[in-house]
Amino acid sequence: YRRGVHDVGMDELVKATGLGKASVYRVFASKDALITAYLARRAETIFGLVDANIARHAGDARGAIVAIIEAVEADIAGASFRGCAFNNASIEFGDPANGARTVAREYREGLRDRLINLATTICGAAEGKQLGEEIALIIEGMYLSAAHLGGVLALEAQVPPEVRHHALRILPLGSAQAPPAVQHLAVERFRARE
């Protein structure tokens, strides 16, 4: 993760496990298989956390979305953050059928589907689908901006007005419960009215 998929050789990975080369290759036939398994496990872990947030906020879709955004903010603010592991791996493999890219695509679809379901609870099917997709894009933008600009700057990144409009419908203007990214957008919106 820190150095990139292609920068780390299989010998180094085997050494880090403390297992013999034959043992590792028995479980993972190739480095691609190991990376795919890593991403699948990471997706499972993240979805476990997301689903726990959703369950914790049962009946409060706004609260669940806020919890998801706050988790993203905490992730990108981490000292060791080097971008989204799914994006990073996808970029390093050109073949769309590669296992790592397939897992990354499935992860994005799973997160987007969860956000659409939550947003649909807030504002109905048609608007909910659009709002959920736009929140997914905001989250994707937060990860990409943080990877290139650093976590704090990513929270201040410019968001197109039409996306701001939909994202800000989630919470009332100036809500104390809003995560910093949404608060920042709300303040910008308020200043634009002045």
Side-chain angles (χ1 to χ4, degrees), residues 88-102:
N88 294 351
S90 290
I91 290 167
E92 294 198 46
F93 293 101
D95 180 6
N98 175 280
R101 287 192 60 177
T102 299

Side-chain angles (χ1 to χ4, degrees), residues 118-188:
L118 290 167
T120 297
T121 302
I122 296 170
C123 56
E127 286 188 44
K129 183 176 186 322
Q130 181 178 348
L131 178 60
E133 288 175 349
E134 290 173 352
I135 294 167
L137 284 173
I138 289 170
I139 289 172
E140 184 72 18
M142 291 171 70
Y143 273 109
L144 289 172
S145 293
H148 296 285
L149 304 174
V152 173
L153 292 176
L155 298 179
E156 298 173 358
Q158 295 297 312
V159 178
E162 63 276 8
V163 176
R164 273 192 206 126
H165 168 75
H166 289 293
L168 293 174
R169 287 187 349 201
I170 297 169
L171 297 165
L173 183 63
S175 169
Q177 296 177 337
V182 175
Q183 288 178 9
H184 174 75
L185 294 174
V187 168
E188 277 188 22

Side-chain angles (χ1 to χ4, degrees), residues 3-15 25 31:
R3 293 186 1 230
V5 171
H6 293 303
D7 194 38
V8 179
M10 194 62 176
D11 287 339
E12 185 178 348
L13 291 171
V14 169
K15 185 177 180 183
Y25 276 105
K31 186 170 140 183

Side-chain angles (χ1 to χ4, degrees), residues 38-125:
Y38 163 78
L39 290 174
R41 182 173 222 165
R42 187 170 179 104
E44 181 181 313
T45 300
I46 292 169
F47 284 147
L49 295 170
V50 168
D51 292 342
N53 276 331
I54 293 170
R56 205 171 19 261
H57 293 89
D60 179 14
R62 284 179 175 86
I65 291 171
V66 168
I68 292 167
I69 293 171
E70 287 175 340
V72 171
E73 289 175 341
D75 190 25
I76 66 177
S80 64
F81 182 77
R82 196 189 141 295
C84 170
F86 301 99
N87 286 344
N88 294 351
S90 290
I91 290 167
E92 294 198 46
F93 293 101
D95 180 6
N98 175 280
R101 287 192 60 177
T102 299
V103 170
R105 187 171 43 255
E106 290 169 353
Y107 167 75
R108 290 282 175 252
E109 290 168 354
L111 181 59
R112 186 191 69 224
D113 290 347
R114 284 164 172 82
L115 292 167
I116 288 170
N117 288 338
L118 290 167
T120 297
T121 302
I122 296 170
C123 56

